[in-house]
Amino acid sequence: MVWSTSSILAILLIGIAIAGSYVASLADTYNSNVTVLPSAETFPQEESRPPQATDGSRNILLLGSDSRGDATIAGEDTGSNQRSDVLMLVNIAANRKDVTVMSIMRDLWVPIPGHGDAKINAALAWGGTPLVVETVESMLGVRIDNLAIIDFEGFRGMTDALGGVDVNVETGFFRKDENMTFPQGMNHLDGVHALGFVRERYAFPTGDFQRVRNQQLYLQALGSALLSKDTLTDPTKISNFVTETSKFLSVDSGFDFPTMVELGLSLRDLRAENIHYFTMPTAGTGWSPDHKQSIVNLNSAAIPALREAIAHDTVADYAAKVAAGTAPGIAPAK
């Protein structure tokens, strides 16, 4: 079972929600529910990491798990309870006017420090969250400031706490596993149907690529629902959202409640249209060198410009170029 990336903005948007609400009571709820991961066991050794950004930008790595467990523990095989099939990097601009969410394909073939080239989702099994962070940091030259993990059950409750979300489905499909139909156009989804929407990949010729696109469409809908006036002026809805999300949320010890509030206040003027989404550039699919695994190839030609955008706090501009097919190393969409 894979993690639904539709819950990825929970960590970010929860800060916006609590900043304008009953902070004291919400702090009690959040602190009593959330699982705190010791930073010393969550991140790699300091000497192997890029320096912290000095411009005020912030990078949060979001992982998924069907069970929060202790993902910091490495093992021969962490099993289905600690799989991280989809990752996302959330970049918050220094001026707090833009937030950019970059999906990282689970089968992306990348160098994993100390292990050679492999699918990026193998890093969690081989070295826990420290190796996942080190892999992303070394690939992108970016310092991960915080890390969070959320599981499926949190996603479902979070969705229902908002009264469902309206998703504009670009490509209609049928999900056979749960007998769900998603017609093209606007669909109002509750937690169960939203989970089915972002999980499906077998119904599409492009598999995971369409699933990632659907996850981004759902994120857009989730952001709009949470940032709407109806939600932000409804203490009960916000309280329910915080309660349902924090039950299934794990964060590093540096991402505590005061930090959430501070981040939320700094983003209080953020609008849904200023949350941008794109997928880390790939070079299509292929096979591993031993021809035993189907993989997604890294677009090495596009990585330098991406690293430059992160280093110079222009990730939102880069995302726009990706969408237009004008980013270096990326062919225009056909």
Side-chain angles (χ1 to χ4, degrees):
M1 185 182 294
V2 298
W3 171 63
S4 165
T5 58
S6 300
S7 58
I8 192 120
L9 282 185
I11 295 89
L12 172 61
L13 298 181
I14 201 173
I16 300 173
I18 61 180
S21 305
Y22 302 101
V23 175
S25 61
L26 290 177
D28 290 339
T29 299
Y30 178 85
N31 289 331
S32 63
N33 288 334
V34 74
T35 295
V36 178
L37 304 174
S39 290
E41 301 173 12
T42 305
F43 296 105
Q45 295 296 312
E46 186 62 35
E47 58 267 20
S48 68
R49 309 189 66 191
Q52 289 185 320
T54 58
D55 57 10
S57 61
R58 194 181 192 100
N59 294 291
I60 305 170
L61 185 64
L62 284 300
L63 305 180
S65 172
D66 287 336
S67 174
R68 286 184 297 179
D70 188 353
T72 65
I73 298 177
E76 184 69 23
D77 181 3
T78 57
S80 60
N81 283 341
Q82 291 302 336
R83 295 188 65 182
S84 178
D85 286 345
V86 180
L87 302 84
M88 283 187 172
L89 180 68
V90 179
N91 174 270
I92 303 173
N95 62 12
R96 300 300 189 257
K97 293 182 179 180
D98 292 283
V99 170
T100 307
V101 182
M102 183 180 74
S103 302
I104 302 175
M105 299 294 294
R106 64 173 190 165
D107 290 340
L108 194 66
W109 192 255
V110 300
I112 297 181
H115 296 271
D117 292 347
K119 291 181 180 181
I120 195 168
N121 69 344
L124 188 65
W126 290 343
T129 56
L131 186 57
V132 179
V133 171
E134 186 177 5
T135 298
V136 174
E137 289 186 337
S138 61
M139 178 173 59
L140 297 177
V142 58
R143 173 85 171 210
I144 302 301
D145 298 295
N146 296 107
L147 180 138
I149 304 170
I150 192 168
D151 70 15
F152 277 120
E153 289 306 312
F155 159 78
R156 186 181 306 183
M158 173 185 66
T159 304
D160 288 333
L162 295 176
V165 297
D166 295 320
V167 180
N168 190 7
V169 177
E170 293 180 345
T171 302
F173 65 95
F174 175 71
R175 179 169 170 79
K176 184 177 180 180
D177 288 354
E178 296 166 305
N179 195 31
M180 294 179 179
T181 299
F182 299 89
Q184 184 179 16
M186 195 62 69
N187 287 241
H188 183 77
L189 306 181
D190 61 12
V192 172
H193 285 79
L195 193 55
F197 177 70
V198 299
R199 274 178 171 170
E200 183 59 46
R201 60 187 172 115
Y202 296 111
F204 312 111
T206 55
D208 276 343
F209 287 93
Q210 183 61 49
R211 176 167 63 173
V212 166
R213 175 57 184 158
N214 284 347
Q215 291 165 350
Q216 292 171 352
L217 289 172
Y218 183 78
L219 284 177
Q220 293 173 347
L222 178 67
S224 295
L226 187 52
L227 293 177
S228 70
K229 182 178 180 181
D230 288 344
T231 298
L232 293 179
T233 58
D234 187 336
T236 299
K237 188 174 287 188
I238 293 175
S239 178
N240 290 341
F241 179 83
V242 172
T243 299
E244 292 302 321
T245 302
S246 58
K247 285 179 184 176
F248 303 94
L249 180 65
S250 298
V251 297
D252 71 88
S253 59
F255 210 16
D256 56 13
F257 189 81
T259 301
M260 288 275 193
V261 174
E262 181 181 0
L263 183 58
L265 286 171
S266 73
L267 291 165
R268 60 185 176 275
D269 294 326
L270 184 71
R271 298 294 178 263
E273 58 267 24
N274 296 117
I275 304 177
H276 316 280
Y277 308 84
F278 74 104
T279 301
M280 184 176 172
T282 67
T285 58
W287 292 92
S288 60
D290 60 8
H291 298 283
K292 293 182 179 180
Q293 301 180 74
S294 174
I295 65 173
V296 175
N297 293 309
L298 180 67
N299 186 341
S300 300
I303 296 302
L306 174 58
R307 291 172 65 111
E308 187 80 2
I310 295 173
H312 291 87
D313 194 27
T314 58
V315 185
D317 292 339
Y318 179 84
K321 292 179 180 178
V322 170
T326 59
I330 298 178
K334 297 181 179 179

Coordinates of all heavy atoms in Angstrom, one line a residue, residues 36-109:
V36 N 6.7 12.7 18.0 CA 7.9 13.5 17.8 C 9.1 12.6 17.6 O 9.3 11.7 18.4 CB 8.2 14.4 19.0 CG1 9.5 15.2 18.8 CG2 7.0 15.4 19.3
L37 N 9.8 12.8 16.5 CA 10.9 12.0 16.1 C 12.2 12.8 16.6 O 12.4 13.9 16.2 CB 11.0 11.8 14.6 CG 9.8 11.2 13.9 CD1 9.9 11.2 12.4 CD2 9.6 9.8 14.5
P38 N 13.0 12.2 17.4 CA 14.3 12.9 17.8 C 15.1 13.3 16.6 O 15.4 12.5 15.7 CB 15.0 11.8 18.6 CG 13.9 10.8 19.0 CD 12.9 10.8 17.9
S39 N 15.5 14.6 16.6 CA 16.2 15.1 15.4 C 17.5 14.3 15.2 O 18.0 14.1 14.1 CB 16.5 16.6 15.6 OG 15.3 17.3 15.5
A40 N 18.2 13.9 16.3 CA 19.5 13.2 16.2 C 19.3 11.9 15.5 O 20.3 11.4 14.9 CB 20.1 13.0 17.6
E41 N 18.1 11.3 15.5 CA 17.9 10.0 14.8 C 17.1 10.2 13.5 O 16.8 9.2 12.8 CB 17.1 9.1 15.8 CG 17.8 8.8 17.1 CD 17.0 8.1 18.1 OE1 15.9 7.5 17.6 OE2 17.3 8.0 19.2
T42 N 16.7 11.5 13.2 CA 15.9 11.7 12.0 C 16.8 12.2 10.8 O 16.5 11.9 9.7 CB 14.9 12.8 12.3 OG1 14.1 12.4 13.5 CG2 13.9 13.0 11.2
F43 N 17.8 13.0 11.1 CA 18.7 13.6 10.1 C 20.0 12.9 10.1 O 20.5 12.3 11.0 CB 18.8 15.1 10.4 CG 17.5 15.8 10.3 CD1 16.8 16.2 11.4 CD2 16.9 16.1 9.0 CE1 15.6 16.9 11.4 CE2 15.7 16.7 9.0 CZ 15.1 17.2 10.1
P44 N 20.7 13.0 8.9 CA 22.1 12.5 8.8 C 23.1 13.2 9.6 O 22.8 14.3 10.2 CB 22.4 12.6 7.3 CG 21.5 13.7 6.8 CD 20.3 13.6 7.7
Q45 N 24.3 12.7 9.7 CA 25.4 13.4 10.4 C 25.6 14.8 9.8 O 25.6 15.0 8.6 CB 26.7 12.6 10.4 CG 26.6 11.3 11.1 CD 26.3 11.5 12.6 OE1 27.0 12.3 13.3 NE2 25.4 10.8 13.2
E46 N 25.9 15.8 10.6 CA 26.0 17.2 10.2 C 27.1 17.3 9.1 O 26.9 18.1 8.2 CB 26.2 18.1 11.4 CG 26.2 19.6 11.0 CD 24.9 20.0 10.5 OE1 23.8 19.5 11.0 OE2 24.9 20.9 9.6
E47 N 28.2 16.6 9.2 CA 29.3 16.9 8.3 C 28.9 16.5 6.9 O 29.6 16.9 5.9 CB 30.5 16.1 8.7 CG 30.3 14.6 8.9 CD 29.9 14.2 10.3 OE1 29.4 15.1 11.1 OE2 30.1 13.0 10.7
S48 N 27.9 15.7 6.7 CA 27.5 15.3 5.3 C 26.4 16.2 4.7 O 26.0 15.9 3.6 CB 27.0 13.8 5.3 OG 25.7 13.7 6.0
R49 N 26.0 17.2 5.4 CA 24.8 18.0 5.0 C 25.2 19.3 4.4 O 26.2 19.9 4.7 CB 23.9 18.2 6.2 CG 23.5 17.0 7.0 CD 22.5 17.2 8.0 NE 21.2 17.6 7.3 CZ 20.1 18.1 7.9 NH1 20.2 18.3 9.2 NH2 19.0 18.3 7.3
P50 N 24.3 19.8 3.4 CA 24.5 21.2 2.9 C 24.3 22.2 4.0 O 23.6 21.9 5.0 CB 23.4 21.3 1.8 CG 23.0 19.9 1.5 CD 23.2 19.1 2.8
P51 N 24.8 23.4 3.9 CA 24.6 24.4 4.9 C 23.2 24.9 4.9 O 22.5 24.8 3.9 CB 25.6 25.6 4.5 CG 25.7 25.4 3.0 CD 25.7 23.9 2.8
Q52 N 22.8 25.5 6.0 CA 21.4 26.0 6.1 C 21.3 27.3 5.2 O 22.3 28.0 5.0 CB 21.1 26.4 7.5 CG 20.8 25.2 8.4 CD 20.4 25.6 9.8 OE1 20.9 26.6 10.4 NE2 19.5 24.9 10.4
A53 N 20.1 27.5 4.6 CA 19.9 28.7 3.8 C 19.9 29.9 4.7 O 19.5 29.9 5.8 CB 18.5 28.6 3.1
T54 N 20.5 31.0 4.1 CA 20.6 32.2 4.9 C 19.6 33.3 4.5 O 19.6 34.4 5.0 CB 22.0 32.8 4.7 OG1 22.3 33.0 3.3 CG2 23.1 31.8 5.3
D55 N 18.8 32.9 3.5 CA 17.8 33.9 2.9 C 16.4 33.8 3.6 O 15.6 34.6 3.2 CB 17.7 33.8 1.4 CG 17.3 32.4 1.0 OD1 16.9 31.6 1.9 OD2 17.3 32.1 -0.2
G56 N 16.2 32.9 4.4 CA 14.9 32.7 5.1 C 14.0 31.7 4.4 O 12.9 31.5 4.9
S57 N 14.4 31.2 3.3 CA 13.6 30.1 2.6 C 13.6 28.9 3.5 O 14.5 28.7 4.3 CB 14.1 29.9 1.2 OG 15.4 29.4 1.3
R58 N 12.6 28.0 3.3 CA 12.5 26.8 4.1 C 12.1 25.6 3.3 O 11.3 25.7 2.3 CB 11.5 27.1 5.2 CG 11.5 26.1 6.3 CD 10.4 26.4 7.3 NE 10.5 25.7 8.6 CZ 11.0 26.1 9.7 NH1 11.4 27.4 9.7 NH2 11.1 25.4 10.8
N59 N 12.7 24.5 3.6 CA 12.4 23.2 2.8 C 12.0 22.2 3.8 O 12.6 21.8 4.8 CB 13.7 22.8 2.1 CG 14.1 23.7 1.0 OD1 13.4 23.9 0.0 ND2 15.2 24.4 1.2
I60 N 10.8 21.6 3.5 CA 10.2 20.5 4.3 C 10.1 19.3 3.5 O 9.5 19.3 2.4 CB 8.8 21.0 4.9 CG1 9.0 22.3 5.6 CG2 8.3 19.9 5.8 CD1 7.6 22.9 6.0
L61 N 10.6 18.2 3.9 CA 10.4 16.9 3.2 C 9.3 16.1 3.8 O 9.3 15.9 5.0 CB 11.7 16.1 3.3 CG 11.8 14.8 2.5 CD1 11.6 15.1 1.0 CD2 13.0 14.0 2.8
L62 N 8.4 15.7 3.0 CA 7.2 14.9 3.4 C 7.3 13.5 2.9 O 7.5 13.3 1.8 CB 5.9 15.6 2.9 CG 5.4 16.8 3.6 CD1 5.1 16.6 5.0 CD2 6.3 18.0 3.4
L63 N 7.2 12.6 3.9 CA 7.2 11.2 3.5 C 5.8 10.6 3.9 O 5.1 11.2 4.6 CB 8.3 10.4 4.3 CG 9.7 10.9 4.2 CD1 10.6 10.1 5.0 CD2 10.2 10.9 2.7
G64 N 5.6 9.4 3.5 CA 4.4 8.7 3.8 C 4.6 7.3 4.3 O 5.6 6.6 4.0
S65 N 3.7 6.9 5.1 CA 3.7 5.5 5.7 C 2.3 5.1 6.0 O 1.5 5.9 6.4 CB 4.6 5.6 7.0 OG 4.5 4.3 7.6
D66 N 2.1 3.8 5.9 CA 0.8 3.2 6.3 C 0.8 3.1 7.8 O -0.3 2.8 8.4 CB 0.6 1.9 5.7 CG 0.2 2.0 4.2 OD1 -0.2 3.1 3.8 OD2 0.5 1.1 3.4
S67 N 1.9 3.2 8.5 CA 2.0 3.3 10.0 C 3.1 4.1 10.3 O 4.2 4.0 9.9 CB 2.2 1.8 10.5 OG 2.3 1.9 11.9
R68 N 2.9 5.1 11.2 CA 3.9 6.1 11.5 C 5.1 5.4 12.1 O 6.3 5.6 11.7 CB 3.4 7.1 12.5 CG 2.5 8.1 11.9 CD 2.1 9.2 12.9 NE 1.3 8.6 14.0 CZ 0.9 9.4 15.0 NH1 1.1 10.6 15.1 NH2 0.2 8.8 16.0
G69 N 4.9 4.4 13.0 CA 6.1 3.7 13.6 C 7.3 4.5 13.9 O 7.2 5.7 14.2
D70 N 8.4 3.8 13.8 CA 9.7 4.5 13.9 C 10.5 4.4 12.7 O 11.3 3.5 12.5 CB 10.5 3.9 15.1 CG 11.7 4.8 15.4 OD1 12.0 5.7 14.7 OD2 12.4 4.5 16.4
A71 N 10.2 5.3 11.8 CA 10.9 5.3 10.4 C 12.3 5.7 10.5 O 13.0 5.6 9.5 CB 10.1 6.2 9.5
T72 N 12.8 6.1 11.7 CA 14.2 6.5 11.8 C 15.1 5.3 11.9 O 16.3 5.3 11.8 CB 14.4 7.4 13.0 OG1 14.2 6.6 14.2 CG2 13.6 8.6 13.0
I73 N 14.5 4.1 12.2 CA 15.2 2.9 12.3 C 15.4 2.2 11.0 O 14.5 1.8 10.3 CB 14.5 1.9 13.3 CG1 14.4 2.6 14.7 CG2 15.3 0.6 13.4 CD1 13.7 1.8 15.7
A74 N 16.7 1.9 10.7 CA 17.0 1.2 9.4 C 16.9 -0.3 9.7 O 17.0 -0.8 10.8 CB 18.4 1.6 8.9
G75 N 16.8 -1.0 8.6 CA 16.7 -2.5 8.7 C 16.9 -3.1 7.4 O 16.9 -2.4 6.3
E76 N 17.0 -4.4 7.4 CA 17.2 -5.1 6.1 C 16.0 -4.9 5.2 O 16.1 -4.8 4.0 CB 17.3 -6.6 6.4 CG 17.6 -7.5 5.2 CD 19.0 -7.2 4.6 OE1 19.9 -6.8 5.4 OE2 19.2 -7.5 3.4
D77 N 14.8 -4.9 5.9 CA 13.6 -4.6 5.1 C 12.6 -4.0 6.1 O 12.1 -4.7 7.0 CB 13.0 -5.9 4.5 CG 11.8 -5.6 3.7 OD1 11.3 -4.4 3.6 OD2 11.2 -6.6 3.2
T78 N 12.3 -2.8 6.0 CA 11.4 -2.2 7.0 C 9.9 -2.6 6.8 O 9.1 -2.4 7.7 CB 11.4 -0.6 6.9 OG1 11.1 -0.2 5.6 CG2 12.7 -0.1 7.3
G79 N 9.6 -3.3 5.7 CA 8.3 -3.9 5.5 C 7.3 -2.8 5.1 O 7.5 -1.7 4.9
S80 N 6.1 -3.3 4.8 CA 5.0 -2.5 4.3 C 4.6 -1.3 5.2 O 4.1 -0.3 4.8 CB 3.8 -3.3 4.0 OG 3.3 -3.9 5.2
N81 N 4.9 -1.5 6.5 CA 4.5 -0.5 7.5 C 5.4 0.8 7.4 O 5.2 1.8 8.0 CB 4.5 -1.0 8.9 CG 3.3 -1.8 9.2 OD1 2.3 -1.7 8.5 ND2 3.4 -2.6 10.2
Q82 N 6.6 0.6 6.7 CA 7.5 1.7 6.7 C 7.9 2.1 5.2 O 8.9 2.6 5.0 CB 8.7 1.5 7.5 CG 8.5 1.5 9.0 CD 7.9 2.8 9.5 OE1 8.0 3.8 8.9 NE2 7.2 2.7 10.6
R83 N 7.0 1.8 4.3 CA 7.3 2.1 2.9 C 7.0 3.6 2.7 O 6.1 4.2 3.2 CB 6.5 1.3 2.0 CG 6.8 -0.2 2.0 CD 6.1 -1.0 0.9 NE 6.6 -0.6 -0.4 CZ 6.1 -1.0 -1.5 NH1 5.1 -1.9 -1.5 NH2 6.6 -0.6 -2.7
S84 N 7.8 4.2 1.8 CA 7.6 5.6 1.4 C 7.7 5.6 -0.1 O 8.7 5.9 -0.7 CB 8.8 6.4 2.0 OG 8.6 7.8 1.6
D85 N 6.5 5.4 -0.7 CA 6.5 5.3 -2.1 C 6.4 6.6 -2.8 O 6.6 6.7 -4.0 CB 5.3 4.4 -2.6 CG 5.6 2.9 -2.3 OD1 6.8 2.6 -2.1 OD2 4.7 2.1 -2.3
V86 N 6.0 7.6 -2.1 CA 6.0 9.0 -2.7 C 6.6 10.0 -1.8 O 6.3 9.9 -0.6 CB 4.5 9.4 -3.0 CG1 4.5 10.8 -3.7 CG2 3.8 8.4 -4.0
L87 N 7.4 10.8 -2.3 CA 8.0 11.9 -1.5 C 7.6 13.2 -2.1 O 7.5 13.3 -3.3 CB 9.5 11.7 -1.5 CG 10.2 10.5 -0.9 CD1 10.2 9.4 -2.0 CD2 11.6 10.8 -0.5
M88 N 7.6 14.2 -1.3 CA 7.4 15.6 -1.8 C 8.3 16.6 -1.0 O 8.5 16.4 0.2 CB 6.0 16.0 -1.7 CG 5.0 15.5 -2.7 SD 3.4 16.2 -2.7 CE 2.6 15.5 -4.1
L89 N 8.8 17.5 -1.8 CA 9.6 18.6 -1.2 C 8.8 19.8 -1.2 O 8.4 20.3 -2.3 CB 11.0 18.8 -1.9 CG 11.9 19.8 -1.4 CD1 12.4 19.4 0.0 CD2 13.0 20.1 -2.3
V90 N 8.5 20.4 0.0 CA 7.8 21.7 0.0 C 8.8 22.8 0.3 O 9.5 22.8 1.3 CB 6.8 21.6 1.2 CG1 6.0 22.9 1.3 CG2 5.8 20.5 1.0
N91 N 8.8 23.7 -0.7 CA 9.7 24.9 -0.6 C 8.9 26.1 -0.3 O 7.9 26.4 -1.0 CB 10.5 25.1 -1.9 CG 11.3 26.4 -1.9 OD1 10.8 27.4 -2.3 ND2 12.5 26.3 -1.5
I92 N 9.3 26.8 0.8 CA 8.6 28.0 1.2 C 9.5 29.2 0.9 O 10.6 29.3 1.4 CB 8.2 28.0 2.7 CG1 7.4 26.8 3.0 CG2 7.5 29.3 3.1 CD1 7.1 26.5 4.5
A93 N 9.1 30.1 0.1 CA 9.9 31.2 -0.4 C 10.2 32.1 0.8 O 9.5 32.2 1.8 CB 9.2 32.0 -1.5
A94 N 11.4 32.8 0.7 CA 11.8 33.6 1.8 C 10.8 34.8 2.1 O 10.6 35.1 3.2 CB 13.2 34.2 1.5
N95 N 10.2 35.3 1.0 CA 9.2 36.4 1.2 C 7.8 35.9 1.6 O 6.9 36.7 1.9 CB 9.1 37.2 0.0 CG 8.6 36.5 -1.2 OD1 8.1 35.3 -1.1 ND2 8.7 37.1 -2.4
R96 N 7.7 34.5 1.8 CA 6.4 33.9 2.2 C 5.3 34.2 1.3 O 4.1 34.0 1.7 CB 6.1 34.3 3.6 CG 7.1 34.0 4.7 CD 7.4 32.5 4.7 NE 8.2 32.0 5.8 CZ 9.5 31.7 5.7 NH1 10.1 31.7 4.6 NH2 10.1 31.3 6.8
K97 N 5.5 34.6 0.0 CA 4.5 34.8 -0.9 C 4.1 33.6 -1.8 O 3.1 33.5 -2.4 CB 4.8 36.0 -1.8 CG 4.9 37.3 -1.1 CD 5.2 38.5 -2.1 CE 5.2 39.8 -1.3 NZ 5.6 40.9 -2.3
D98 N 5.1 32.6 -1.8 CA 4.9 31.4 -2.6 C 5.3 30.2 -1.9 O 6.2 30.2 -1.1 CB 5.7 31.5 -3.9 CG 5.2 32.6 -4.9 OD1 4.1 32.4 -5.5 OD2 5.8 33.7 -4.9
V99 N 4.5 29.1 -2.1 CA 4.9 27.8 -1.6 C 4.9 26.9 -2.8 O 4.0 26.9 -3.6 CB 3.9 27.3 -0.6 CG1 4.2 25.8 -0.3 CG2 4.0 28.1 0.7
T100 N 5.9 26.1 -3.0 CA 6.0 25.2 -4.1 C 6.2 23.8 -3.7 O 7.0 23.5 -2.8 CB 7.2 25.6 -5.0 OG1 7.2 27.0 -5.4 CG2 7.2 24.7 -6.3
V101 N 5.4 22.9 -4.2 CA 5.4 21.5 -3.8 C 5.9 20.7 -5.0 O 5.3 20.7 -6.1 CB 4.0 21.0 -3.5 CG1 4.0 19.5 -3.0 CG2 3.4 21.9 -2.4
M102 N 7.0 20.0 -4.8 CA 7.6 19.2 -5.9 C 7.5 17.7 -5.6 O 8.0 17.2 -4.6 CB 9.1 19.5 -6.1 CG 9.8 18.7 -7.2 SD 11.5 19.1 -7.4 CE 12.2 18.2 -6.0
S103 N 6.8 17.0 -6.4 CA 6.6 15.5 -6.3 C 7.9 14.9 -6.8 O 8.5 15.3 -7.7 CB 5.5 15.0 -7.1 OG 4.3 15.6 -6.8
I104 N 8.3 13.8 -6.1 CA 9.5 13.0 -6.5 C 9.0 11.6 -6.7 O 8.4 11.0 -5.8 CB 10.6 13.0 -5.4 CG1 11.0 14.4 -5.1 CG2 11.8 12.1 -5.8 CD1 12.0 14.5 -3.9
M105 N 9.1 11.1 -7.9 CA 8.6 9.8 -8.3 C 9.2 8.7 -7.5 O 10.4 8.7 -7.2 CB 8.8 9.5 -9.8 CG 8.2 10.5 -10.7 SD 6.4 10.5 -10.7 CE 6.1 8.8 -11.4
R106 N 8.4 7.8 -7.0 CA 8.9 6.8 -6.1 C 9.9 5.8 -6.7 O 10.8 5.3 -6.0 CB 7.7 5.9 -5.6 CG 7.0 5.2 -6.7 CD 6.0 4.2 -6.1 NE 5.5 3.4 -7.2 CZ 4.8 2.3 -7.0 NH1 4.5 1.9 -5.7 NH2 4.4 1.5 -8.0
D107 N 9.8 5.7 -8.1 CA 10.8 4.7 -8.7 C 11.9 5.5 -9.4 O 12.6 4.9 -10.2 CB 10.0 4.0 -9.8 CG 9.0 2.9 -9.2 OD1 9.2 2.6 -8.1 OD2 8.1 2.5 -10.0
L108 N 12.2 6.7 -9.0 CA 13.3 7.5 -9.6 C 14.6 6.8 -9.2 O 14.9 6.5 -8.1 CB 13.2 8.9 -9.0 CG 14.1 9.9 -9.7 CD1 13.6 10.2 -11.2 CD2 14.1 11.3 -9.0
W109 N 15.4 6.6 -10.2 CA 16.7 5.9 -10.1 C 17.8 6.9 -9.8 O 18.1 7.8 -10.6 CB 17.0 5.2 -11.4 CG 18.1 4.2 -11.3 CD1 19.4 4.3 -11.8 CD2 18.1 2.9 -10.7 NE1 20.2 3.2 -11.6 CE2 19.4 2.3 -10.9 CE3 17.1 2.1 -10.1 CZ2 19.7 1.0 -10.5 CZ3 17.5 0.8 -9.6 CH2 18.7 0.3 -9.8

